[in-house]
Amino acid sequence: MALATRGEPVYGEPTADGWRRWDPHRSKLGAMLELGLDTGFEAGDGVLYLGAASGTTVSHVADVAGPTYAVEFAPRPVRDLLTVCESRPNLFPLLADARQPASYGHVVEANLDVIVQDVATTGQATVALENARFLAPDGRLLLSIKARSEDVTREPSAVFEEALETLESSYEVLGTRKLDPFHEDHLAVVATPRAPPAE
């Protein structure tokens, strides 16, 4: 049984009877689901997707989610993303930097159910902290940490440990899993916002 969603094809994925195969080799979130990680992601959820690129994964997300805000920094892939949005009226592309959520805070609604983060930059945990403002108190962060984007000279395990320590200031980590064999030197993280301290 293969992971699939119903929607218009985007990246040459196999299709049958309106279903499109969600290729875990092309998608970190797809790999999380394929490996059985409990993401808490459900149909109809409101989603903020950070690092949407040309739309490979976010197209699958939008096939099943509610309002889906797709943030991408590079203009070239955003042009492809616009085409993906044509058949998905719930998918909203945003040409913006995920490290600067104030630049799209006036567009993205608060109390979303899920943040999916797949950005190739240093300080990936910090990006998650900065965007926590959009997440509902019982929402989920689905983060893919790319060790080589943080520091190509360090052992991935050390990079992952440091990122998790950073996350713990604002998130409770519910689960982690390396994404081998689909994505080398990547760690999937599922987390939920920490409740503010009682006054």
Side-chain angles (χ1 to χ4, degrees):
M1 185 172 176
L3 186 65
T5 61
R6 292 188 71 89
E8 291 294 318
V10 169
Y11 54 99
E13 68 277 22
T15 60
D17 299 323
W19 292 93
R20 46 193 295 258
R21 174 77 166 100
W22 193 340
D23 185 351
H25 294 279
R26 299 277 301 271
S27 167
K28 314 306 185 310
L29 180 57
M32 291 183 202
L33 296 169
E34 190 83 7
L35 291 168
L37 196 60
D38 183 6
T39 64
F41 175 48
E42 297 180 352
D45 279 351
V47 177
L48 173 61
Y49 195 105
L50 305 174
S54 58
T56 296
T57 299
V58 78
S59 65
H60 286 291
V61 171
D63 284 346
V64 297
T68 303
Y69 301 91
V71 175
E72 173 53 45
F73 177 68
R76 177 63 188 90
V78 168
R79 290 202 294 271
D80 294 332
L81 181 59
L82 290 172
T83 302
V84 174
C85 294
E86 290 175 359
S87 61
R88 295 170 176 86
N90 61 319
L91 180 55
F92 307 104
L94 299 169
L95 178 59
D97 188 340
R99 297 169 296 185
Q100 299 176 4
S103 67
Y104 48 86
H106 62 293
V107 177
V108 177
E109 63 187 87
N111 293 313
L112 291 169
D113 302 292
V114 177
I115 292 177
V116 180
Q117 182 178 319
D118 181 14
V119 295
T121 185
T122 57
Q124 293 164 75
T126 301
V127 172
L129 298 182
E130 292 293 328
N131 283 275
R133 67 186 76 181
F134 302 111
L135 201 55
D138 60 347
R140 293 288 184 270
L141 169 70
L142 309 180
L143 168 63
S144 173
I145 301 172
K146 306 178 181 187
R148 299 306 178 192
S149 293
E150 291 286 351
D151 190 337
V152 296
T153 66
R154 296 176 64 197
E155 283 296 318
S157 58
V159 172
F160 298 150
E161 182 178 353
E162 184 177 283
L164 290 171
E165 288 176 359
T166 300
L167 281 176
E168 286 174 354
S169 65
S170 294
Y171 289 97
E172 177 185 353
V173 175
L174 303 177
T176 64
R177 178 150 186 176
K178 291 183 179 178
L179 292 180
D180 302 13
F182 300 109
H183 304 278
E184 188 176 353
D185 298 333
H186 285 70
L187 182 72
V189 180
V190 179
T192 193
R194 288 192 180 279
E199 296 184 1

PDB file of all heavy atoms in Angstrom, residues 164-192:
ATOM      1  N   LEU A 164      17.980  20.237  18.939  1.00  0.00           N
ATOM      2  CA  LEU A 164      16.930  19.818  19.872  1.00  0.00           C
ATOM      3  C   LEU A 164      16.994  20.615  21.166  1.00  0.00           C
ATOM      4  O   LEU A 164      15.955  20.981  21.733  1.00  0.00           O
ATOM      5  CB  LEU A 164      17.048  18.321  20.152  1.00  0.00           C
ATOM      6  CG  LEU A 164      16.691  17.397  18.982  1.00  0.00           C
ATOM      7  CD1 LEU A 164      17.048  15.952  19.308  1.00  0.00           C
ATOM      8  CD2 LEU A 164      15.219  17.516  18.623  1.00  0.00           C
ATOM      9  N   GLU A 165      18.181  20.911  21.636  1.00  0.00           N
ATOM     10  CA  GLU A 165      18.335  21.732  22.838  1.00  0.00           C
ATOM     11  C   GLU A 165      17.752  23.128  22.616  1.00  0.00           C
ATOM     12  O   GLU A 165      17.087  23.696  23.493  1.00  0.00           O
ATOM     13  CB  GLU A 165      19.802  21.830  23.244  1.00  0.00           C
ATOM     14  CG  GLU A 165      20.371  20.550  23.827  1.00  0.00           C
ATOM     15  CD  GLU A 165      21.859  20.650  24.120  1.00  0.00           C
ATOM     16  OE1 GLU A 165      22.456  21.724  23.851  1.00  0.00           O
ATOM     17  OE2 GLU A 165      22.439  19.665  24.608  1.00  0.00           O
ATOM     18  N   THR A 166      17.976  23.690  21.436  1.00  0.00           N
ATOM     19  CA  THR A 166      17.428  25.007  21.111  1.00  0.00           C
ATOM     20  C   THR A 166      15.908  24.963  21.075  1.00  0.00           C
ATOM     21  O   THR A 166      15.233  25.849  21.606  1.00  0.00           O
ATOM     22  CB  THR A 166      17.978  25.499  19.766  1.00  0.00           C
ATOM     23  OG1 THR A 166      19.407  25.592  19.841  1.00  0.00           O
ATOM     24  CG2 THR A 166      17.403  26.856  19.385  1.00  0.00           C
ATOM     25  N   LEU A 167      15.361  23.937  20.448  1.00  0.00           N
ATOM     26  CA  LEU A 167      13.914  23.801  20.329  1.00  0.00           C
ATOM     27  C   LEU A 167      13.238  23.736  21.684  1.00  0.00           C
ATOM     28  O   LEU A 167      12.122  24.241  21.867  1.00  0.00           O
ATOM     29  CB  LEU A 167      13.558  22.540  19.542  1.00  0.00           C
ATOM     30  CG  LEU A 167      13.665  22.568  18.028  1.00  0.00           C
ATOM     31  CD1 LEU A 167      13.368  21.183  17.480  1.00  0.00           C
ATOM     32  CD2 LEU A 167      12.711  23.596  17.427  1.00  0.00           C
ATOM     33  N   GLU A 168      13.893  23.110  22.660  1.00  0.00           N
ATOM     34  CA  GLU A 168      13.248  22.823  23.934  1.00  0.00           C
ATOM     35  C   GLU A 168      12.912  24.069  24.741  1.00  0.00           C
ATOM     36  O   GLU A 168      12.162  23.986  25.710  1.00  0.00           O
ATOM     37  CB  GLU A 168      14.086  21.840  24.744  1.00  0.00           C
ATOM     38  CG  GLU A 168      13.996  20.420  24.180  1.00  0.00           C
ATOM     39  CD  GLU A 168      14.923  19.443  24.869  1.00  0.00           C
ATOM     40  OE1 GLU A 168      15.725  19.881  25.723  1.00  0.00           O
ATOM     41  OE2 GLU A 168      14.843  18.245  24.539  1.00  0.00           O
ATOM     42  N   SER A 169      13.395  25.234  24.315  1.00  0.00           N
ATOM     43  CA  SER A 169      13.017  26.463  25.014  1.00  0.00           C
ATOM     44  C   SER A 169      11.558  26.824  24.758  1.00  0.00           C
ATOM     45  O   SER A 169      10.915  27.465  25.595  1.00  0.00           O
ATOM     46  CB  SER A 169      13.921  27.624  24.588  1.00  0.00           C
ATOM     47  OG  SER A 169      13.720  27.932  23.216  1.00  0.00           O
ATOM     48  N   SER A 170      11.016  26.401  23.618  1.00  0.00           N
ATOM     49  CA  SER A 170       9.632  26.747  23.273  1.00  0.00           C
ATOM     50  C   SER A 170       8.767  25.554  22.889  1.00  0.00           C
ATOM     51  O   SER A 170       7.553  25.687  22.788  1.00  0.00           O
ATOM     52  CB  SER A 170       9.620  27.736  22.097  1.00  0.00           C
ATOM     53  OG  SER A 170      10.184  28.975  22.466  1.00  0.00           O
ATOM     54  N   TYR A 171       9.378  24.401  22.655  1.00  0.00           N
ATOM     55  CA  TYR A 171       8.636  23.226  22.205  1.00  0.00           C
ATOM     56  C   TYR A 171       8.910  22.029  23.112  1.00  0.00           C
ATOM     57  O   TYR A 171      10.014  21.887  23.653  1.00  0.00           O
ATOM     58  CB  TYR A 171       9.058  22.828  20.788  1.00  0.00           C
ATOM     59  CG  TYR A 171       8.610  23.750  19.690  1.00  0.00           C
ATOM     60  CD1 TYR A 171       9.459  24.724  19.181  1.00  0.00           C
ATOM     61  CD2 TYR A 171       7.339  23.628  19.128  1.00  0.00           C
ATOM     62  CE1 TYR A 171       9.061  25.570  18.156  1.00  0.00           C
ATOM     63  CE2 TYR A 171       6.931  24.465  18.103  1.00  0.00           C
ATOM     64  CZ  TYR A 171       7.793  25.428  17.617  1.00  0.00           C
ATOM     65  OH  TYR A 171       7.390  26.258  16.594  1.00  0.00           O
ATOM     66  N   GLU A 172       7.920  21.183  23.221  1.00  0.00           N
ATOM     67  CA  GLU A 172       8.108  19.867  23.811  1.00  0.00           C
ATOM     68  C   GLU A 172       8.253  18.870  22.663  1.00  0.00           C
ATOM     69  O   GLU A 172       7.355  18.755  21.825  1.00  0.00           O
ATOM     70  CB  GLU A 172       6.910  19.481  24.670  1.00  0.00           C
ATOM     71  CG  GLU A 172       7.016  18.083  25.261  1.00  0.00           C
ATOM     72  CD  GLU A 172       5.765  17.660  26.002  1.00  0.00           C
ATOM     73  OE1 GLU A 172       4.862  18.500  26.179  1.00  0.00           O
ATOM     74  OE2 GLU A 172       5.689  16.474  26.388  1.00  0.00           O
ATOM     75  N   VAL A 173       9.371  18.202  22.612  1.00  0.00           N
ATOM     76  CA  VAL A 173       9.630  17.241  21.541  1.00  0.00           C
ATOM     77  C   VAL A 173       8.886  15.941  21.835  1.00  0.00           C
ATOM     78  O   VAL A 173       9.068  15.322  22.884  1.00  0.00           O
ATOM     79  CB  VAL A 173      11.145  16.990  21.380  1.00  0.00           C
ATOM     80  CG1 VAL A 173      11.399  15.894  20.344  1.00  0.00           C
ATOM     81  CG2 VAL A 173      11.856  18.278  20.968  1.00  0.00           C
ATOM     82  N   LEU A 174       8.028  15.537  20.897  1.00  0.00           N
ATOM     83  CA  LEU A 174       7.205  14.342  21.064  1.00  0.00           C
ATOM     84  C   LEU A 174       7.826  13.116  20.425  1.00  0.00           C
ATOM     85  O   LEU A 174       7.515  11.983  20.814  1.00  0.00           O
ATOM     86  CB  LEU A 174       5.823  14.573  20.464  1.00  0.00           C
ATOM     87  CG  LEU A 174       5.035  15.773  21.008  1.00  0.00           C
ATOM     88  CD1 LEU A 174       3.711  15.918  20.263  1.00  0.00           C
ATOM     89  CD2 LEU A 174       4.799  15.640  22.502  1.00  0.00           C
ATOM     90  N   GLY A 175       8.671  13.332  19.428  1.00  0.00           N
ATOM     91  CA  GLY A 175       9.288  12.198  18.755  1.00  0.00           C
ATOM     92  C   GLY A 175      10.320  12.651  17.744  1.00  0.00           C
ATOM     93  O   GLY A 175      10.242  13.762  17.218  1.00  0.00           O
ATOM     94  N   THR A 176      11.304  11.810  17.502  1.00  0.00           N
ATOM     95  CA  THR A 176      12.331  12.079  16.487  1.00  0.00           C
ATOM     96  C   THR A 176      12.618  10.778  15.739  1.00  0.00           C
ATOM     97  O   THR A 176      12.407   9.680  16.257  1.00  0.00           O
ATOM     98  CB  THR A 176      13.653  12.594  17.100  1.00  0.00           C
ATOM     99  OG1 THR A 176      14.224  11.571  17.926  1.00  0.00           O
ATOM    100  CG2 THR A 176      13.425  13.851  17.927  1.00  0.00           C
ATOM    101  N   ARG A 177      13.121  10.944  14.522  1.00  0.00           N
ATOM    102  CA  ARG A 177      13.526   9.769  13.745  1.00  0.00           C
ATOM    103  C   ARG A 177      14.427  10.220  12.604  1.00  0.00           C
ATOM    104  O   ARG A 177      14.128  11.191  11.917  1.00  0.00           O
ATOM    105  CB  ARG A 177      12.308   9.050  13.181  1.00  0.00           C
ATOM    106  CG  ARG A 177      12.688   7.848  12.319  1.00  0.00           C
ATOM    107  CD  ARG A 177      11.680   6.776  12.351  1.00  0.00           C
ATOM    108  NE  ARG A 177      12.144   5.596  11.632  1.00  0.00           N
ATOM    109  CZ  ARG A 177      11.480   4.469  11.563  1.00  0.00           C
ATOM    110  NH1 ARG A 177      10.320   4.338  12.177  1.00  0.00           N
ATOM    111  NH2 ARG A 177      11.962   3.436  10.903  1.00  0.00           N
ATOM    112  N   LYS A 178      15.526   9.516  12.419  1.00  0.00           N
ATOM    113  CA  LYS A 178      16.364   9.775  11.252  1.00  0.00           C
ATOM    114  C   LYS A 178      15.613   9.327  10.001  1.00  0.00           C
ATOM    115  O   LYS A 178      14.862   8.354  10.042  1.00  0.00           O
ATOM    116  CB  LYS A 178      17.697   9.045  11.377  1.00  0.00           C
ATOM    117  CG  LYS A 178      18.587   9.624  12.465  1.00  0.00           C
ATOM    118  CD  LYS A 178      19.930   8.930  12.525  1.00  0.00           C
ATOM    119  CE  LYS A 178      20.810   9.544  13.608  1.00  0.00           C
ATOM    120  NZ  LYS A 178      22.119   8.842  13.721  1.00  0.00           N
ATOM    121  N   LEU A 179      15.835  10.060   8.906  1.00  0.00           N
ATOM    122  CA  LEU A 179      15.070   9.811   7.686  1.00  0.00           C
ATOM    123  C   LEU A 179      15.773   8.883   6.704  1.00  0.00           C
ATOM    124  O   LEU A 179      15.359   8.783   5.549  1.00  0.00           O
ATOM    125  CB  LEU A 179      14.713  11.139   7.010  1.00  0.00           C
ATOM    126  CG  LEU A 179      13.716  12.001   7.791  1.00  0.00           C
ATOM    127  CD1 LEU A 179      13.426  13.290   7.036  1.00  0.00           C
ATOM    128  CD2 LEU A 179      12.427  11.235   8.064  1.00  0.00           C
ATOM    129  N   ASP A 180      16.827   8.191   7.146  1.00  0.00           N
ATOM    130  CA  ASP A 180      17.413   7.138   6.329  1.00  0.00           C
ATOM    131  C   ASP A 180      16.350   6.041   6.126  1.00  0.00           C
ATOM    132  O   ASP A 180      15.560   5.788   7.028  1.00  0.00           O
ATOM    133  CB  ASP A 180      18.618   6.509   7.029  1.00  0.00           C
ATOM    134  CG  ASP A 180      19.715   7.519   7.356  1.00  0.00           C
ATOM    135  OD1 ASP A 180      19.448   8.718   7.265  1.00  0.00           O
ATOM    136  OD2 ASP A 180      20.804   7.090   7.736  1.00  0.00           O
ATOM    137  N   PRO A 181      16.291   5.389   4.992  1.00  0.00           N
ATOM    138  CA  PRO A 181      17.198   5.489   3.843  1.00  0.00           C
ATOM    139  C   PRO A 181      16.760   6.519   2.808  1.00  0.00           C
ATOM    140  O   PRO A 181      17.375   6.625   1.756  1.00  0.00           O
ATOM    141  CB  PRO A 181      17.112   4.086   3.243  1.00  0.00           C
ATOM    142  CG  PRO A 181      15.665   3.708   3.477  1.00  0.00           C
ATOM    143  CD  PRO A 181      15.310   4.311   4.814  1.00  0.00           C
ATOM    144  N   PHE A 182      15.730   7.289   3.106  1.00  0.00           N
ATOM    145  CA  PHE A 182      15.198   8.218   2.110  1.00  0.00           C
ATOM    146  C   PHE A 182      16.024   9.500   1.994  1.00  0.00           C
ATOM    147  O   PHE A 182      16.226  10.018   0.896  1.00  0.00           O
ATOM    148  CB  PHE A 182      13.747   8.564   2.434  1.00  0.00           C
ATOM    149  CG  PHE A 182      12.842   7.373   2.463  1.00  0.00           C
ATOM    150  CD1 PHE A 182      12.321   6.907   3.658  1.00  0.00           C
ATOM    151  CD2 PHE A 182      12.515   6.703   1.295  1.00  0.00           C
ATOM    152  CE1 PHE A 182      11.493   5.797   3.688  1.00  0.00           C
ATOM    153  CE2 PHE A 182      11.692   5.594   1.310  1.00  0.00           C
ATOM    154  CZ  PHE A 182      11.180   5.137   2.515  1.00  0.00           C
ATOM    155  N   HIS A 183      16.500  10.010   3.144  1.00  0.00           N
ATOM    156  CA  HIS A 183      17.252  11.270   3.161  1.00  0.00           C
ATOM    157  C   HIS A 183      18.381  11.149   4.186  1.00  0.00           C
ATOM    158  O   HIS A 183      18.122  11.063   5.389  1.00  0.00           O
ATOM    159  CB  HIS A 183      16.333  12.452   3.514  1.00  0.00           C
ATOM    160  CG  HIS A 183      15.164  12.581   2.598  1.00  0.00           C
ATOM    161  ND1 HIS A 183      15.243  13.205   1.368  1.00  0.00           N
ATOM    162  CD2 HIS A 183      13.876  12.145   2.718  1.00  0.00           C
ATOM    163  CE1 HIS A 183      14.057  13.156   0.782  1.00  0.00           C
ATOM    164  NE2 HIS A 183      13.222  12.507   1.569  1.00  0.00           N
ATOM    165  N   GLU A 184      19.601  11.142   3.694  1.00  0.00           N
ATOM    166  CA  GLU A 184      20.758  10.959   4.560  1.00  0.00           C
ATOM    167  C   GLU A 184      21.026  12.229   5.363  1.00  0.00           C
ATOM    168  O   GLU A 184      20.861  13.351   4.876  1.00  0.00           O
ATOM    169  CB  GLU A 184      21.988  10.617   3.707  1.00  0.00           C
ATOM    170  CG  GLU A 184      23.208  10.213   4.509  1.00  0.00           C
ATOM    171  CD  GLU A 184      24.358   9.792   3.616  1.00  0.00           C
ATOM    172  OE1 GLU A 184      24.164   9.691   2.393  1.00  0.00           O
ATOM    173  OE2 GLU A 184      25.461   9.572   4.155  1.00  0.00           O
ATOM    174  N   ASP A 185      21.459  12.048   6.614  1.00  0.00           N
ATOM    175  CA  ASP A 185      21.840  13.156   7.506  1.00  0.00           C
ATOM    176  C   ASP A 185      20.695  14.136   7.751  1.00  0.00           C
ATOM    177  O   ASP A 185      20.886  15.350   7.836  1.00  0.00           O
ATOM    178  CB  ASP A 185      23.070  13.895   6.965  1.00  0.00           C
ATOM    179  CG  ASP A 185      24.304  13.006   6.881  1.00  0.00           C
ATOM    180  OD1 ASP A 185      24.388  12.039   7.666  1.00  0.00           O
ATOM    181  OD2 ASP A 185      25.165  13.253   6.027  1.00  0.00           O
ATOM    182  N   HIS A 186      19.482  13.595   7.854  1.00  0.00           N
ATOM    183  CA  HIS A 186      18.291  14.380   8.197  1.00  0.00           C
ATOM    184  C   HIS A 186      17.634  13.761   9.434  1.00  0.00           C
ATOM    185  O   HIS A 186      17.552  12.534   9.546  1.00  0.00           O
ATOM    186  CB  HIS A 186      17.262  14.379   7.069  1.00  0.00           C
ATOM    187  CG  HIS A 186      17.624  15.240   5.912  1.00  0.00           C
ATOM    188  ND1 HIS A 186      18.655  14.948   5.045  1.00  0.00           N
ATOM    189  CD2 HIS A 186      17.076  16.400   5.460  1.00  0.00           C
ATOM    190  CE1 HIS A 186      18.729  15.886   4.108  1.00  0.00           C
ATOM    191  NE2 HIS A 186      17.776  16.769   4.341  1.00  0.00           N
ATOM    192  N   LEU A 187      17.159  14.619  10.329  1.00  0.00           N
ATOM    193  CA  LEU A 187      16.411  14.169  11.496  1.00  0.00           C
ATOM    194  C   LEU A 187      15.018  14.780  11.468  1.00  0.00           C
ATOM    195  O   LEU A 187      14.859  16.001  11.373  1.00  0.00           O
ATOM    196  CB  LEU A 187      17.109  14.586  12.791  1.00  0.00           C
ATOM    197  CG  LEU A 187      16.426  14.112  14.085  1.00  0.00           C
ATOM    198  CD1 LEU A 187      16.614  12.602  14.254  1.00  0.00           C
ATOM    199  CD2 LEU A 187      16.972  14.860  15.302  1.00  0.00           C
ATOM    200  N   ALA A 188      13.999  13.937  11.532  1.00  0.00           N
ATOM    201  CA  ALA A 188      12.617  14.403  11.636  1.00  0.00           C
ATOM    202  C   ALA A 188      12.292  14.636  13.097  1.00  0.00           C
ATOM    203  O   ALA A 188      12.652  13.835  13.972  1.00  0.00           O
ATOM    204  CB  ALA A 188      11.670  13.372  11.043  1.00  0.00           C
ATOM    205  N   VAL A 189      11.602  15.732  13.359  1.00  0.00           N
ATOM    206  CA  VAL A 189      11.209  16.087  14.723  1.00  0.00           C
ATOM    207  C   VAL A 189       9.722  16.415  14.728  1.00  0.00           C
ATOM    208  O   VAL A 189       9.250  17.197  13.898  1.00  0.00           O
ATOM    209  CB  VAL A 189      11.996  17.304  15.237  1.00  0.00           C
ATOM    210  CG1 VAL A 189      11.566  17.659  16.664  1.00  0.00           C
ATOM    211  CG2 VAL A 189      13.496  17.065  15.172  1.00  0.00           C
ATOM    212  N   VAL A 190       8.990  15.828  15.657  1.00  0.00           N
ATOM    213  CA  VAL A 190       7.605  16.199  15.921  1.00  0.00           C
ATOM    214  C   VAL A 190       7.572  16.846  17.297  1.00  0.00           C
ATOM    215  O   VAL A 190       8.061  16.271  18.276  1.00  0.00           O
ATOM    216  CB  VAL A 190       6.664  14.973  15.888  1.00  0.00           C
ATOM    217  CG1 VAL A 190       5.229  15.398  16.191  1.00  0.00           C
ATOM    218  CG2 VAL A 190       6.745  14.275  14.543  1.00  0.00           C
ATOM    219  N   ALA A 191       7.019  18.056  17.360  1.00  0.00           N
ATOM    220  CA  ALA A 191       7.009  18.786  18.625  1.00  0.00           C
ATOM    221  C   ALA A 191       5.719  19.585  18.752  1.00  0.00           C
ATOM    222  O   ALA A 191       5.022  19.836  17.768  1.00  0.00           O
ATOM    223  CB  ALA A 191       8.220  19.719  18.703  1.00  0.00           C
ATOM    224  N   THR A 192       5.415  19.990  19.969  1.00  0.00           N
ATOM    225  CA  THR A 192       4.233  20.804  20.250  1.00  0.00           C
ATOM    226  C   THR A 192       4.658  21.977  21.118  1.00  0.00           C
ATOM    227  O   THR A 192       5.632  21.847  21.877  1.00  0.00           O
ATOM    228  CB  THR A 192       3.129  19.949  20.926  1.00  0.00           C
ATOM    229  OG1 THR A 192       1.899  20.673  20.914  1.00  0.00           O
ATOM    230  CG2 THR A 192       3.500  19.585  22.344  1.00  0.00           C
TER     231      THR A 192
END
